[in-house]
Amino acid sequence: MAERDLPRGRIVDILARGEPGTAVRVEGWVRTRRDSKGVTFLELNDGSCLANLQAVVDAASPVASAAAAASTGSSLVASGRLVASQGQGQRVELVPAALTLLQAAPPDYPLQKKRHSFEFLRSIAHLRVRSNTFGAVARVRNALFYATHRFFQERGFIFLQAPIITASDAEGAGEMFRVTTLDLERLAREAGALDWHADFFGRKAGLTVSGQLEAEVYALAFHDTYTFGPTFRAENSNTTRHAAEFWMIEPEIAFADLADNRALAEAFIKTVIGQTRETCAEDYAFFEQRIEPGLLAKLDGLLNAPFETITYSEAIGLLEAAGEPFEFPVAWGHDLQSEHERYLAEKKIGRPVFVIDYPKDIKAFYMRMNDDGRTVAAMDLLVPGLGEIIGGSQREERLEPLRARMAALRLPQEEYDWYLDLRRYGTVPHAGFGVGFERLLMYVTGMQNIRDVIPFPRTPGHVEF
Ligand code: 4AD
Ligand code: MG
């Protein structure tokens, strides 16, 4: 078979299993070229793994001139035989008999060998994914997606594709992006009153802040369901942990209480981390070495110990006794700030901790009222180094308490009538939670900024292509 007719080999497979003497064809990009004593070494990468396949071309080779022109960033197809590597660090290398340079990248290719700052790389989101760090993030992100679906599918959960355009503010926090076809420029010129009836949907609509309410519909038909999709929040929080567009995993389980909910969350986190540690071992080793020393021990610790649970009231007690100079005041009834969450998870408990039973006034309308009448069956999972990665609750499944709560919060009941129907017809105790997918990815990779774990970040004042 002519070498160019060989089936394509992926570099990850070649490095793992390629036998010296076999012919292969690779398609990829040049990471670096090095010339030494009449031999050219090309480091080839095709995104299938972190490691490069080294191609070795000597001066007498028919492809020597193509190799000499193969600058960093160039695209090429190379085929030839594998030989046992004489150098350190790889088992086999490629001796190309044919090398087609599809495009020689000019010297202004931004990803030259030197290390770039993450800030700079953010400004070239269309190219940064070809770097080691962002390649590793993308592969772990992909593996976590797969592990997530696998976890729920293996347990019989029905996957719900919750709508992205919605008329209900699921969190009741008013942080929705508006979806409209009204001519806003004309309206602004004419300074007329807004009439939503004239809008596309005949009413106010927005981008979803959560698929939870729809997931409750499915849970009350299928017992176990989950959503996994993009989520939008117009909160103006310019932090390293907030994005305007992020992904959320939201399971919802029927005939279940808060303890069942916690058990599911813990099993989920441990299973997907355990699985991706195996499938992405090379990438995790890179994060340990380059991003967060101690990462692997941290993940092992998480896998091998049960998560802790404390009540919100206990958390306040611990924070009051902490003697730490917190920026935000600690008092029963105030929400926990990120500094408080991190103190609890990092310094006090030292591992992931569920905080449960929050005051009703700082949580969403749908959470189930506890018997004390002032707290709700909420749960947040806090992890060291990051704070909250999961928020969830048992839901108020009783019609009258839910109505009373909605009335107290002045929610327009007619818009939630369908939601109340779930309490009128065949209601059961049920619970669920939302995992911030990017927060989870930050935790497992050690990356410190949410902008660096989502391919094309959207944050206040920033939307690039
Ligand atoms: O705590 P949240 O707001 O909970 C809900 O939306 C519920 N409806 C979930 C449920 O019970 N089904 O959000 C859940 C998680 C947070 O713990 C956080 O990890 C993540 O979503 N999150 C964000 N991640 C990135 N950027 C933002 N702006 C985020 N807001 C929330
Ligand atoms: Mg929350």
Side-chain angles (χ1 to χ4, degrees):
M1 186 170 5
E3 261 154 353
R4 67 169 177 281
D5 297 331
L6 290 168
R8 177 201 163 205
R10 296 167 74 233
I11 289 177
V12 63
D13 299 325
I14 293 169
L15 290 175
R17 287 183 292 278
E19 287 300 325
T22 49
V24 297
R25 181 170 67 92
V26 298
E27 305 172 346
W29 294 266
V30 177
R31 279 292 170 83
T32 56
R33 190 191 68 230
R34 190 161 54 84
D35 302 294
S36 157
K37 301 185 194 115
V39 184
T40 295
F41 298 93
L42 298 176
E43 295 289 330
L44 306 182
N45 193 283
D46 65 0
S48 61
C49 60
L50 185 76
N52 301 319
L53 175 65
Q54 180 163 278
V56 185
V57 178
D58 72 38
S61 161
V63 305
S65 64
S71 48
T72 294
S74 299
S75 46
L76 55 73
V77 180
S79 39
R81 286 195 190 275
L82 296 178
V83 298
S85 178
Q86 325 217 320
Q88 295 275 309
Q90 67 269 322
R91 233 169 27 84
V92 289
E93 53 198 29
L94 174 69
V95 178
L99 196 162
T100 306
L101 194 57
L102 296 174
Q103 188 187 47
D108 64 358
Y109 177 60
L111 294 177
Q112 299 296 336
K113 203 174 173 186
K114 82 180 178 69
R115 255 177 114 169
H116 298 286
S117 73
F118 289 153
E119 287 78 10
F120 168 72
L121 291 169
R122 259 170 240 148
S123 73
I124 49 165
H126 56 298
L127 296 173
R128 69 175 179 172
V129 72
R130 299 184 203 173
S131 69
N132 284 339
T133 303
F134 290 89
V137 168
R139 280 184 299 270
V140 173
R141 187 178 167 98
N142 176 65
L144 267 180
F145 243 84
Y146 185 55
T148 294
H149 280 295
R150 186 173 158 193
F151 176 87
F152 291 113
Q153 292 295 326
E154 285 180 357
R155 285 163 181 75
F157 284 59
I158 296 280
F159 175 37
L160 162 65
Q161 298 81 39
I164 287 172
I165 298 176
T166 174
S168 45
D169 178 357
E171 292 300 302
E175 290 167 342
M176 289 174 87
F177 286 101
R178 191 69 48 219
V179 172
T180 181
T181 53
L182 293 175
D183 184 343
L184 300 179
E185 287 173 358
R186 189 173 62 84
L187 284 170
R189 271 197 312 274
E190 296 173 358
L194 264 185
D195 177 11
W196 294 111
H197 293 100
D199 203 353
F200 188 90
F201 296 105
R203 61 186 292 188
K204 271 192 196 180
L207 297 179
T208 183
V209 295
S210 160
Q212 176 197 320
L213 303 191
E214 292 87 357
E216 288 186 53
V217 171
Y218 256 42
L220 293 185
F222 300 111
H223 198 292
D224 306 306
T225 186
Y226 69 108
T227 72
F228 187 4
T231 310
F232 308 87
R233 299 225 176 147
E235 53 189 332
N236 203 356
S237 341
N238 228 326
T239 78
T240 53
R241 298 171 304 120
H242 288 88
E245 175 178 310
F246 62 100
W247 283 65
M248 189 155 44
I249 303 156
E250 294 183 278
E252 192 73 26
I253 49 178
F255 302 88
D257 63 12
L258 197 65
D260 300 316
N261 210 28
R262 276 191 281 136
L264 180 66
E266 180 166 348
F268 170 76
I269 295 288
K270 288 182 169 174
T271 304
V272 296
I273 291 181
Q275 258 166 30
T276 58
R277 281 236 19 209
E278 281 170 32
T279 52
C280 299
E282 184 192 35
D283 295 315
Y284 276 116
F286 171 84
F287 290 123
E288 160 84 33
Q289 207 190 357
R290 299 294 282 271
I291 305 293
E292 181 184 332
L295 176 81
L296 297 179
K298 173 184 92 174
L299 297 179
D300 284 341
L302 172 140
L303 292 176
N304 294 326
F307 294 0
E308 190 67 56
T309 299
I310 58 174
T311 64
Y312 168 87
S313 299
E314 287 166 347
I316 294 297
L318 293 173
L319 292 167
E320 280 170 347
E324 295 265 326
F326 292 124
E327 187 186 336
F328 292 91
V330 175
W332 201 96
H334 287 247
D335 207 356
L336 299 182
Q337 300 296 323
S338 148
E339 56 175 351
H340 306 139
E341 296 177 342
R342 292 191 50 181
Y343 170 81
L344 290 169
E346 243 157 88
K347 292 202 183 155
K348 193 66 205 170
I349 316 261
R351 59 197 156 98
V353 53
F354 289 108
V355 179
I356 62 170
D357 298 339
Y358 282 75
K360 67 177 192 320
D361 292 331
I362 56 172
K363 288 294 185 188
F365 71 95
Y366 51 71
M367 296 192 181
R368 193 180 198 279
M369 189 72 72
N370 286 327
D371 291 341
D372 63 13
R374 57 182 208 143
T375 63
V376 288
M379 63 172 219
D380 277 6
L381 180 65
L382 316 181
V383 295
L386 201 61
E388 175 189 343
I389 63 170
I390 290 182
S393 73
Q394 186 172 338
R395 318 306 186 191
E396 185 54 84
E397 87 284 14
R398 300 161 298 184
L399 181 61
E400 281 319 318
L402 180 59
R403 265 197 175 139
R405 188 85 191 108
M406 290 174 65
L409 293 170
R410 296 180 201 286
L411 292 180
Q413 293 211 18
E414 54 306 339
E415 287 182 21
Y416 291 89
D417 208 42
W418 64 272
Y419 189 68
L420 293 170
D421 266 358
L422 301 176
R423 278 75 184 164
R424 292 189 183 104
Y425 310 119
T427 190
V428 295
H430 60 288
F433 58 86
V435 187
F437 187 68
E438 283 73 25
R439 300 260 179 103
L440 177 61
L441 195 53
M442 288 171 74
Y443 181 74
V444 301
T445 59
M447 297 295 285
Q448 291 296 308
N449 196 317
I450 196 165
R451 294 165 181 79
D452 297 330
V453 295
I454 193 161
F456 304 102
R458 276 85 176 88
T459 50
H462 185 96
V463 53
E464 217 182 319
F465 57 81

